[in-house]
Amino acid sequence: MLAALTVTAFGAGIHLPSVHGRVEPAQIATTAPFDKPGLAHVGPDRYEVYLTGQIWTFAPSEIRVPAGSTVTFVATSRDVVHGLIVPGANVNTMLLPGQIARVTVRFDRPGEYPMICHEYCGIAHHTMGGKIIVEPRS
Ligand code: CUA
């Protein structure tokens, strides 16, 4: 049982929502860093994305980074339980209201990566998405 849990938790690349702080859901719009959702350049080839999920959008819904960037998503939900999965990249987490999730991933291949909500969040759940555009280095 313990071995199965360990393999599932660490071997299969499954990310449980890792708690890196909390924020009062009703005050997310006025609480840093979520008062300014978007991309921040935090070092050479390093970025942070302050992202919120809310019915039925991600903010920001489009992110552009150069290939070779390491991106940390700092994310939470403003209302109900959402999810964030990025096929083709190792991003798969739940977004719980007021709980801050952090996921770091490196984008080496240029292209367009969809951001998809993979937790049912209501009638327009299937429309909730966005994209990450990884631009070739010139
Ligand atoms: Cu948000 Cu499904």
Side-chain angles (χ1 to χ4, degrees):
M1 176 68 180
L2 189 60
L5 276 175
T6 305
V7 168
T8 308
F10 300 107
I14 294 169
H15 297 280
L16 295 172
S18 46
V19 185
H20 291 271
R22 293 195 55 83
V23 53
E24 184 55 46
Q27 286 158 21
I28 286 173
T30 54
T31 304
F34 303 106
D35 55 339
K36 296 189 183 76
L39 189 70
H41 196 184
V42 296
D45 297 326
R46 295 196 71 93
Y47 295 85
E48 286 186 348
V49 178
Y50 310 117
L51 181 128
T52 60
Q54 54 272 306
I55 48 173
W56 285 280
T57 58
F58 291 114
S61 61
E62 187 178 306
I63 296 157
R64 281 176 189 271
V65 292
S69 297
T70 299
V71 178
T72 298
F73 292 85
V74 182
T76 190
S77 165
R78 291 175 65 160
D79 41 41
V80 300
V81 174
H82 297 281
L84 174 65
I85 188 167
V86 181
N90 192 18
V91 176
N92 181 354
T93 188
M94 290 170 77
L95 303 181
L96 305 175
Q99 180 171 310
I100 299 170
R102 283 180 83 96
V103 182
T104 297
V105 64
R106 186 179 149 126
F107 290 97
D108 282 320
R109 274 183 298 113
E112 213 172 279
Y113 297 74
M115 295 193 292
I116 298 167
C117 177
H118 67 308
E119 293 289 333
Y120 182 74
C121 56
I123 189 85
H125 155 71
H126 61 286
T127 68
M128 182 170 169
K131 60 185 169 185
I132 301 153
I133 299 161
V134 179
E135 298 177 322
R137 295 212 170 238
S138 48

mmCIF file of all heavy atoms in Angstrom, residues 72-118:
data_model
loop_
_atom_site.group_PDB
_atom_site.id
_atom_site.type_symbol
_atom_site.label_atom_id
_atom_site.label_comp_id
_atom_site.label_asym_id
_atom_site.label_seq_id
_atom_site.Cartn_x
_atom_site.Cartn_y
_atom_site.Cartn_z
ATOM 1 N N THR A 72 7.266 29.199 -13.849
ATOM 2 C CA THR A 72 6.566 28.769 -12.642
ATOM 3 C C THR A 72 5.163 29.368 -12.646
ATOM 4 O O THR A 72 5.001 30.591 -12.709
ATOM 5 C CB THR A 72 7.316 29.209 -11.373
ATOM 6 O OG1 THR A 72 8.595 28.576 -11.366
ATOM 7 C CG2 THR A 72 6.558 28.802 -10.114
ATOM 8 N N PHE A 73 4.182 28.490 -12.630
ATOM 9 C CA PHE A 73 2.794 28.929 -12.515
ATOM 10 C C PHE A 73 2.477 29.082 -11.033
ATOM 11 O O PHE A 73 2.682 28.150 -10.256
ATOM 12 C CB PHE A 73 1.849 27.904 -13.132
ATOM 13 C CG PHE A 73 1.980 27.789 -14.621
ATOM 14 C CD1 PHE A 73 2.941 26.954 -15.182
ATOM 15 C CD2 PHE A 73 1.154 28.511 -15.468
ATOM 16 C CE1 PHE A 73 3.074 26.847 -16.561
ATOM 17 C CE2 PHE A 73 1.275 28.412 -16.846
ATOM 18 C CZ PHE A 73 2.240 27.580 -17.395
ATOM 19 N N VAL A 74 2.019 30.253 -10.667
ATOM 20 C CA VAL A 74 1.539 30.514 -9.310
ATOM 21 C C VAL A 74 0.047 30.779 -9.487
ATOM 22 O O VAL A 74 -0.344 31.790 -10.070
ATOM 23 C CB VAL A 74 2.255 31.729 -8.688
ATOM 24 C CG1 VAL A 74 1.776 31.964 -7.264
ATOM 25 C CG2 VAL A 74 3.773 31.539 -8.735
ATOM 26 N N ALA A 75 -0.764 29.834 -9.048
ATOM 27 C CA ALA A 75 -2.145 29.847 -9.517
ATOM 28 C C ALA A 75 -3.136 29.552 -8.406
ATOM 29 O O ALA A 75 -2.838 28.835 -7.454
ATOM 30 C CB ALA A 75 -2.305 28.816 -10.633
ATOM 31 N N THR A 76 -4.316 30.105 -8.562
ATOM 32 C CA THR A 76 -5.400 29.813 -7.629
ATOM 33 C C THR A 76 -6.730 30.018 -8.346
ATOM 34 O O THR A 76 -6.777 30.430 -9.508
ATOM 35 C CB THR A 76 -5.305 30.697 -6.365
ATOM 36 O OG1 THR A 76 -6.238 30.220 -5.395
ATOM 37 C CG2 THR A 76 -5.606 32.158 -6.669
ATOM 38 N N SER A 77 -7.801 29.690 -7.642
ATOM 39 C CA SER A 77 -9.137 29.883 -8.190
ATOM 40 C C SER A 77 -9.839 31.009 -7.455
ATOM 41 O O SER A 77 -9.673 31.178 -6.249
ATOM 42 C CB SER A 77 -9.963 28.608 -8.046
ATOM 43 O OG SER A 77 -11.335 28.903 -8.251
ATOM 44 N N ARG A 78 -10.623 31.762 -8.211
ATOM 45 C CA ARG A 78 -11.388 32.849 -7.589
ATOM 46 C C ARG A 78 -12.775 32.423 -7.157
ATOM 47 O O ARG A 78 -13.465 33.177 -6.472
ATOM 48 C CB ARG A 78 -11.498 34.028 -8.556
ATOM 49 C CG ARG A 78 -10.169 34.704 -8.758
ATOM 50 C CD ARG A 78 -10.233 35.778 -9.797
ATOM 51 N NE ARG A 78 -11.097 36.866 -9.398
ATOM 52 C CZ ARG A 78 -11.032 38.086 -9.936
ATOM 53 N NH1 ARG A 78 -10.124 38.349 -10.852
ATOM 54 N NH2 ARG A 78 -11.845 39.015 -9.549
ATOM 55 N N ASP A 79 -13.196 31.212 -7.578
ATOM 56 C CA ASP A 79 -14.561 30.827 -7.211
ATOM 57 C C ASP A 79 -14.667 29.343 -6.862
ATOM 58 O O ASP A 79 -14.577 28.985 -5.707
ATOM 59 C CB ASP A 79 -15.551 31.252 -8.312
ATOM 60 C CG ASP A 79 -15.021 31.023 -9.720
ATOM 61 O OD1 ASP A 79 -14.393 29.967 -9.939
ATOM 62 O OD2 ASP A 79 -15.229 31.882 -10.589
ATOM 63 N N VAL A 80 -14.835 28.496 -7.858
ATOM 64 C CA VAL A 80 -15.051 27.076 -7.593
ATOM 65 C C VAL A 80 -13.770 26.311 -7.911
ATOM 66 O O VAL A 80 -12.764 26.906 -8.269
ATOM 67 C CB VAL A 80 -16.244 26.545 -8.422
ATOM 68 C CG1 VAL A 80 -17.514 27.294 -8.067
ATOM 69 C CG2 VAL A 80 -15.971 26.645 -9.913
ATOM 70 N N VAL A 81 -13.828 24.993 -7.775
ATOM 71 C CA VAL A 81 -12.659 24.174 -8.079
ATOM 72 C C VAL A 81 -12.475 24.102 -9.584
ATOM 73 O O VAL A 81 -13.396 23.736 -10.329
ATOM 74 C CB VAL A 81 -12.814 22.757 -7.486
ATOM 75 C CG1 VAL A 81 -11.654 21.868 -7.936
ATOM 76 C CG2 VAL A 81 -12.880 22.824 -5.969
ATOM 77 N N HIS A 82 -11.291 24.498 -10.033
ATOM 78 C CA HIS A 82 -10.903 24.350 -11.429
ATOM 79 C C HIS A 82 -9.667 23.466 -11.487
ATOM 80 O O HIS A 82 -9.121 23.058 -10.464
ATOM 81 C CB HIS A 82 -10.566 25.711 -12.054
ATOM 82 C CG HIS A 82 -11.716 26.666 -12.098
ATOM 83 N ND1 HIS A 82 -12.709 26.589 -13.048
ATOM 84 C CD2 HIS A 82 -12.039 27.715 -11.308
ATOM 85 C CE1 HIS A 82 -13.586 27.568 -12.831
ATOM 86 N NE2 HIS A 82 -13.211 28.265 -11.782
ATOM 87 N N GLY A 83 -9.219 23.186 -12.695
ATOM 88 C CA GLY A 83 -7.981 22.449 -12.888
ATOM 89 C C GLY A 83 -7.141 23.159 -13.922
ATOM 90 O O GLY A 83 -7.632 24.020 -14.654
ATOM 91 N N LEU A 84 -5.883 22.803 -13.959
ATOM 92 C CA LEU A 84 -4.996 23.333 -14.999
ATOM 93 C C LEU A 84 -4.121 22.199 -15.483
ATOM 94 O O LEU A 84 -3.323 21.639 -14.718
ATOM 95 C CB LEU A 84 -4.127 24.472 -14.453
ATOM 96 C CG LEU A 84 -3.055 24.990 -15.421
ATOM 97 C CD1 LEU A 84 -3.684 25.632 -16.656
ATOM 98 C CD2 LEU A 84 -2.136 25.990 -14.720
ATOM 99 N N ILE A 85 -4.307 21.843 -16.753
ATOM 100 C CA ILE A 85 -3.452 20.830 -17.362
ATOM 101 C C ILE A 85 -2.939 21.403 -18.664
ATOM 102 O O ILE A 85 -3.659 22.103 -19.379
ATOM 103 C CB ILE A 85 -4.204 19.486 -17.552
ATOM 104 C CG1 ILE A 85 -3.226 18.400 -17.997
ATOM 105 C CG2 ILE A 85 -5.368 19.607 -18.529
ATOM 106 C CD1 ILE A 85 -3.817 16.990 -17.900
ATOM 107 N N VAL A 86 -1.658 21.146 -18.935
ATOM 108 C CA VAL A 86 -1.038 21.600 -20.177
ATOM 109 C C VAL A 86 -0.483 20.373 -20.888
ATOM 110 O O VAL A 86 0.598 19.894 -20.551
ATOM 111 C CB VAL A 86 0.081 22.633 -19.917
ATOM 112 C CG1 VAL A 86 0.686 23.118 -21.229
ATOM 113 C CG2 VAL A 86 -0.450 23.814 -19.099
ATOM 114 N N PRO A 87 -1.243 19.834 -21.852
ATOM 115 C CA PRO A 87 -0.754 18.668 -22.583
ATOM 116 C C PRO A 87 0.563 19.008 -23.283
ATOM 117 O O PRO A 87 0.729 20.088 -23.826
ATOM 118 C CB PRO A 87 -1.860 18.397 -23.618
ATOM 119 C CG PRO A 87 -3.084 19.037 -23.039
ATOM 120 C CD PRO A 87 -2.590 20.232 -22.270
ATOM 121 N N GLY A 88 1.499 18.087 -23.217
ATOM 122 C CA GLY A 88 2.805 18.321 -23.832
ATOM 123 C C GLY A 88 3.795 18.950 -22.876
ATOM 124 O O GLY A 88 4.966 19.084 -23.204
ATOM 125 N N ALA A 89 3.329 19.328 -21.700
ATOM 126 C CA ALA A 89 4.216 19.861 -20.661
ATOM 127 C C ALA A 89 3.782 19.238 -19.336
ATOM 128 O O ALA A 89 2.660 18.773 -19.197
ATOM 129 C CB ALA A 89 4.111 21.381 -20.579
ATOM 130 N N ASN A 90 4.674 19.215 -18.381
ATOM 131 C CA ASN A 90 4.379 18.541 -17.126
ATOM 132 C C ASN A 90 3.657 19.485 -16.166
ATOM 133 O O ASN A 90 4.163 19.841 -15.115
ATOM 134 C CB ASN A 90 5.672 17.992 -16.513
ATOM 135 C CG ASN A 90 5.398 17.031 -15.372
ATOM 136 O OD1 ASN A 90 4.289 16.512 -15.232
ATOM 137 N ND2 ASN A 90 6.401 16.806 -14.555
ATOM 138 N N VAL A 91 2.466 19.892 -16.564
ATOM 139 C CA VAL A 91 1.639 20.758 -15.728
ATOM 140 C C VAL A 91 0.297 20.077 -15.560
ATOM 141 O O VAL A 91 -0.383 19.784 -16.546
ATOM 142 C CB VAL A 91 1.429 22.148 -16.372
ATOM 143 C CG1 VAL A 91 0.491 23.001 -15.523
ATOM 144 C CG2 VAL A 91 2.759 22.853 -16.583
ATOM 145 N N ASN A 92 -0.052 19.785 -14.320
ATOM 146 C CA ASN A 92 -1.314 19.120 -14.022
ATOM 147 C C ASN A 92 -1.616 19.349 -12.555
ATOM 148 O O ASN A 92 -1.055 18.709 -11.692
ATOM 149 C CB ASN A 92 -1.187 17.615 -14.327
ATOM 150 C CG ASN A 92 -2.475 16.873 -14.066
ATOM 151 O OD1 ASN A 92 -3.452 17.432 -13.559
ATOM 152 N ND2 ASN A 92 -2.487 15.595 -14.399
ATOM 153 N N THR A 93 -2.473 20.309 -12.280
ATOM 154 C CA THR A 93 -2.778 20.605 -10.887
ATOM 155 C C THR A 93 -4.228 21.022 -10.746
ATOM 156 O O THR A 93 -4.877 21.388 -11.734
ATOM 157 C CB THR A 93 -1.841 21.709 -10.340
ATOM 158 O OG1 THR A 93 -2.038 21.831 -8.925
ATOM 159 C CG2 THR A 93 -2.106 23.059 -10.992
ATOM 160 N N MET A 94 -4.729 20.939 -9.560
ATOM 161 C CA MET A 94 -6.052 21.476 -9.278
ATOM 162 C C MET A 94 -5.896 22.918 -8.824
ATOM 163 O O MET A 94 -4.877 23.293 -8.247
ATOM 164 C CB MET A 94 -6.739 20.664 -8.180
ATOM 165 C CG MET A 94 -7.149 19.273 -8.615
ATOM 166 S SD MET A 94 -7.683 18.293 -7.210
ATOM 167 C CE MET A 94 -9.315 18.984 -6.945
ATOM 168 N N LEU A 95 -6.903 23.714 -9.104
ATOM 169 C CA LEU A 95 -6.940 25.085 -8.609
ATOM 170 C C LEU A 95 -8.096 25.171 -7.622
ATOM 171 O O LEU A 95 -9.258 25.088 -8.016
ATOM 172 C CB LEU A 95 -7.136 26.079 -9.762
ATOM 173 C CG LEU A 95 -6.094 26.030 -10.882
ATOM 174 C CD1 LEU A 95 -6.406 27.092 -11.931
ATOM 175 C CD2 LEU A 95 -4.689 26.203 -10.345
ATOM 176 N N LEU A 96 -7.743 25.290 -6.362
ATOM 177 C CA LEU A 96 -8.752 25.338 -5.310
ATOM 178 C C LEU A 96 -8.908 26.783 -4.852
ATOM 179 O O LEU A 96 -7.922 27.508 -4.758
ATOM 180 C CB LEU A 96 -8.333 24.456 -4.132
ATOM 181 C CG LEU A 96 -8.028 22.995 -4.500
ATOM 182 C CD1 LEU A 96 -7.496 22.251 -3.288
ATOM 183 C CD2 LEU A 96 -9.263 22.319 -5.051
ATOM 184 N N PRO A 97 -10.148 27.175 -4.542
ATOM 185 C CA PRO A 97 -10.374 28.563 -4.154
ATOM 186 C C PRO A 97 -9.482 28.973 -2.981
ATOM 187 O O PRO A 97 -9.535 28.355 -1.922
ATOM 188 C CB PRO A 97 -11.844 28.594 -3.755
ATOM 189 C CG PRO A 97 -12.450 27.428 -4.461
ATOM 190 C CD PRO A 97 -11.379 26.390 -4.574
ATOM 191 N N GLY A 98 -8.663 29.964 -3.222
ATOM 192 C CA GLY A 98 -7.857 30.521 -2.152
ATOM 193 C C GLY A 98 -6.591 29.772 -1.827
ATOM 194 O O GLY A 98 -5.781 30.227 -1.034
ATOM 195 N N GLN A 99 -6.386 28.615 -2.443
ATOM 196 C CA GLN A 99 -5.166 27.855 -2.194
ATOM 197 C C GLN A 99 -4.204 28.081 -3.343
ATOM 198 O O GLN A 99 -4.582 27.950 -4.505
ATOM 199 C CB GLN A 99 -5.504 26.371 -2.054
ATOM 200 C CG GLN A 99 -4.306 25.492 -1.784
ATOM 201 C CD GLN A 99 -4.720 24.069 -1.430
ATOM 202 O OE1 GLN A 99 -5.570 23.861 -0.569
ATOM 203 N NE2 GLN A 99 -4.141 23.106 -2.101
ATOM 204 N N ILE A 100 -2.972 28.416 -3.029
ATOM 205 C CA ILE A 100 -2.015 28.766 -4.073
ATOM 206 C C ILE A 100 -1.220 27.524 -4.477
ATOM 207 O O ILE A 100 -0.586 26.887 -3.642
ATOM 208 C CB ILE A 100 -1.069 29.881 -3.593
ATOM 209 C CG1 ILE A 100 -1.882 31.140 -3.245
ATOM 210 C CG2 ILE A 100 -0.023 30.189 -4.666
ATOM 211 C CD1 ILE A 100 -1.084 32.216 -2.545
ATOM 212 N N ALA A 101 -1.302 27.181 -5.741
ATOM 213 C CA ALA A 101 -0.539 26.063 -6.293
ATOM 214 C C ALA A 101 0.657 26.617 -7.051
ATOM 215 O O ALA A 101 0.563 27.679 -7.691
ATOM 216 C CB ALA A 101 -1.417 25.235 -7.224
ATOM 217 N N ARG A 102 1.768 25.930 -6.980
ATOM 218 C CA ARG A 102 2.963 26.312 -7.747
ATOM 219 C C ARG A 102 3.414 25.111 -8.559
ATOM 220 O O ARG A 102 3.580 24.025 -8.017
ATOM 221 C CB ARG A 102 4.110 26.711 -6.815
ATOM 222 C CG ARG A 102 4.000 28.076 -6.197
ATOM 223 C CD ARG A 102 5.185 28.347 -5.313
ATOM 224 N NE ARG A 102 6.331 28.810 -6.074
ATOM 225 C CZ ARG A 102 6.632 30.095 -6.229
ATOM 226 N NH1 ARG A 102 5.888 31.025 -5.677
ATOM 227 N NH2 ARG A 102 7.682 30.450 -6.931
ATOM 228 N N VAL A 103 3.610 25.322 -9.842
ATOM 229 C CA VAL A 103 4.107 24.272 -10.725
ATOM 230 C C VAL A 103 5.168 24.900 -11.618
ATOM 231 O O VAL A 103 4.935 25.945 -12.219
ATOM 232 C CB VAL A 103 2.995 23.691 -11.622
ATOM 233 C CG1 VAL A 103 3.546 22.561 -12.485
ATOM 234 C CG2 VAL A 103 1.819 23.207 -10.800
ATOM 235 N N THR A 104 6.333 24.258 -11.694
ATOM 236 C CA THR A 104 7.416 24.788 -12.526
ATOM 237 C C THR A 104 7.687 23.828 -13.672
ATOM 238 O O THR A 104 7.745 22.616 -13.480
ATOM 239 C CB THR A 104 8.693 24.977 -11.685
ATOM 240 O OG1 THR A 104 8.421 25.938 -10.670
ATOM 241 C CG2 THR A 104 9.850 25.484 -12.544
ATOM 242 N N VAL A 105 7.825 24.389 -14.857
ATOM 243 C CA VAL A 105 8.049 23.570 -16.037
ATOM 244 C C VAL A 105 8.931 24.345 -17.012
ATOM 245 O O VAL A 105 8.919 25.580 -17.025
ATOM 246 C CB VAL A 105 6.692 23.179 -16.686
ATOM 247 C CG1 VAL A 105 5.950 24.396 -17.199
ATOM 248 C CG2 VAL A 105 6.871 22.149 -17.794
ATOM 249 N N ARG A 106 9.717 23.602 -17.787
ATOM 250 C CA ARG A 106 10.575 24.241 -18.776
ATOM 251 C C ARG A 106 10.024 23.959 -20.167
ATOM 252 O O ARG A 106 9.659 22.822 -20.485
ATOM 253 C CB ARG A 106 11.992 23.672 -18.640
ATOM 254 C CG ARG A 106 12.999 24.379 -19.524
ATOM 255 C CD ARG A 106 14.376 23.770 -19.292
ATOM 256 N NE ARG A 106 15.127 23.856 -20.544
ATOM 257 C CZ ARG A 106 16.317 24.416 -20.641
ATOM 258 N NH1 ARG A 106 16.915 24.888 -19.579
ATOM 259 N NH2 ARG A 106 16.921 24.463 -21.799
ATOM 260 N N PHE A 107 9.940 25.005 -20.972
ATOM 261 C CA PHE A 107 9.440 24.859 -22.337
ATOM 262 C C PHE A 107 10.606 24.952 -23.308
ATOM 263 O O PHE A 107 11.151 26.037 -23.520
ATOM 264 C CB PHE A 107 8.405 25.951 -22.646
ATOM 265 C CG PHE A 107 7.115 25.788 -21.909
ATOM 266 C CD1 PHE A 107 6.882 26.474 -20.733
ATOM 267 C CD2 PHE A 107 6.134 24.929 -22.381
ATOM 268 C CE1 PHE A 107 5.679 26.325 -20.045
ATOM 269 C CE2 PHE A 107 4.930 24.769 -21.701
ATOM 270 C CZ PHE A 107 4.710 25.469 -20.527
ATOM 271 N N ASP A 108 10.996 23.823 -23.866
ATOM 272 C CA ASP A 108 12.111 23.816 -24.819
ATOM 273 C C ASP A 108 11.640 23.881 -26.264
ATOM 274 O O ASP A 108 12.287 24.487 -27.095
ATOM 275 C CB ASP A 108 12.963 22.549 -24.611
ATOM 276 C CG ASP A 108 13.883 22.692 -23.406
ATOM 277 O OD1 ASP A 108 14.446 23.789 -23.206
ATOM 278 O OD2 ASP A 108 14.026 21.709 -22.654
ATOM 279 N N ARG A 109 10.534 23.222 -26.546
ATOM 280 C CA ARG A 109 10.060 23.150 -27.938
ATOM 281 C C ARG A 109 9.131 24.310 -28.248
ATOM 282 O O ARG A 109 8.130 24.511 -27.558
ATOM 283 C CB ARG A 109 9.318 21.832 -28.182
ATOM 284 C CG ARG A 109 10.212 20.668 -28.574
ATOM 285 C CD ARG A 109 9.393 19.409 -28.877
ATOM 286 N NE ARG A 109 8.632 18.931 -27.717
ATOM 287 C CZ ARG A 109 7.307 18.946 -27.638
ATOM 288 N NH1 ARG A 109 6.573 19.383 -28.637
ATOM 289 N NH2 ARG A 109 6.713 18.505 -26.559
ATOM 290 N N PRO A 110 9.434 25.063 -29.305
ATOM 291 C CA PRO A 110 8.513 26.120 -29.727
ATOM 292 C C PRO A 110 7.177 25.511 -30.153
ATOM 293 O O PRO A 110 7.119 24.363 -30.606
ATOM 294 C CB PRO A 110 9.212 26.747 -30.939
ATOM 295 C CG PRO A 110 10.637 26.340 -30.838
ATOM 296 C CD PRO A 110 10.646 25.008 -30.150
ATOM 297 N N GLY A 111 6.139 26.284 -29.990
ATOM 298 C CA GLY A 111 4.818 25.806 -30.405
ATOM 299 C C GLY A 111 3.752 26.379 -29.503
ATOM 300 O O GLY A 111 4.009 27.225 -28.657
ATOM 301 N N GLU A 112 2.537 25.884 -29.722
ATOM 302 C CA GLU A 112 1.404 26.351 -28.952
ATOM 303 C C GLU A 112 0.944 25.243 -28.023
ATOM 304 O O GLU A 112 0.709 24.119 -28.462
ATOM 305 C CB GLU A 112 0.272 26.744 -29.908
ATOM 306 C CG GLU A 112 -0.554 27.894 -29.402
ATOM 307 C CD GLU A 112 -1.527 28.379 -30.462
ATOM 308 O OE1 GLU A 112 -1.104 29.143 -31.352
ATOM 309 O OE2 GLU A 112 -2.697 27.971 -30.407
ATOM 310 N N TYR A 113 0.859 25.552 -26.758
ATOM 311 C CA TYR A 113 0.452 24.574 -25.754
ATOM 312 C C TYR A 113 -0.878 25.025 -25.156
ATOM 313 O O TYR A 113 -0.958 26.106 -24.583
ATOM 314 C CB TYR A 113 1.496 24.490 -24.637
ATOM 315 C CG TYR A 113 2.852 24.006 -25.075
ATOM 316 C CD1 TYR A 113 3.713 24.833 -25.803
ATOM 317 C CD2 TYR A 113 3.284 22.720 -24.768
ATOM 318 C CE1 TYR A 113 4.961 24.390 -26.206
ATOM 319 C CE2 TYR A 113 4.537 22.269 -25.159
ATOM 320 C CZ TYR A 113 5.370 23.102 -25.871
ATOM 321 O OH TYR A 113 6.594 22.656 -26.264
ATOM 322 N N PRO A 114 -1.900 24.187 -25.262
ATOM 323 C CA PRO A 114 -3.183 24.586 -24.670
ATOM 324 C C PRO A 114 -3.153 24.505 -23.140
ATOM 325 O O PRO A 114 -2.493 23.626 -22.577
ATOM 326 C CB PRO A 114 -4.175 23.576 -25.252
ATOM 327 C CG PRO A 114 -3.364 22.409 -25.652
ATOM 328 C CD PRO A 114 -1.970 22.892 -25.944
ATOM 329 N N MET A 115 -3.836 25.427 -22.511
ATOM 330 C CA MET A 115 -4.118 25.333 -21.069
ATOM 331 C C MET A 115 -5.583 24.926 -20.968
ATOM 332 O O MET A 115 -6.454 25.589 -21.537
ATOM 333 C CB MET A 115 -3.945 26.689 -20.378
ATOM 334 C CG MET A 115 -2.545 27.225 -20.373
ATOM 335 S SD MET A 115 -2.346 28.637 -19.227
ATOM 336 C CE MET A 115 -3.330 29.905 -20.024
ATOM 337 N N ILE A 116 -5.845 23.850 -20.254
ATOM 338 C CA ILE A 116 -7.196 23.311 -20.206
ATOM 339 C C ILE A 116 -7.629 23.141 -18.752
ATOM 340 O O ILE A 116 -6.841 22.697 -17.917
ATOM 341 C CB ILE A 116 -7.248 21.941 -20.936
ATOM 342 C CG1 ILE A 116 -6.888 22.125 -22.410
ATOM 343 C CG2 ILE A 116 -8.599 21.281 -20.776
ATOM 344 C CD1 ILE A 116 -6.600 20.818 -23.131
ATOM 345 N N CYS A 117 -8.863 23.503 -18.492
ATOM 346 C CA CYS A 117 -9.454 23.200 -17.180
ATOM 347 C C CYS A 117 -9.941 21.755 -17.218
ATOM 348 O O CYS A 117 -10.738 21.397 -18.074
ATOM 349 C CB CYS A 117 -10.614 24.141 -16.868
ATOM 350 S SG CYS A 117 -11.421 23.738 -15.302
ATOM 351 N N HIS A 118 -9.432 20.938 -16.309
ATOM 352 C CA HIS A 118 -9.806 19.523 -16.326
ATOM 353 C C HIS A 118 -10.553 19.099 -15.068
ATOM 354 O O HIS A 118 -10.609 17.933 -14.727
ATOM 355 C CB HIS A 118 -8.578 18.644 -16.584
ATOM 356 C CG HIS A 118 -7.574 18.670 -15.475
ATOM 357 N ND1 HIS A 118 -7.068 19.829 -14.965
ATOM 358 C CD2 HIS A 118 -6.974 17.662 -14.795
ATOM 359 C CE1 HIS A 118 -6.203 19.538 -14.005
ATOM 360 N NE2 HIS A 118 -6.131 18.231 -13.886
#
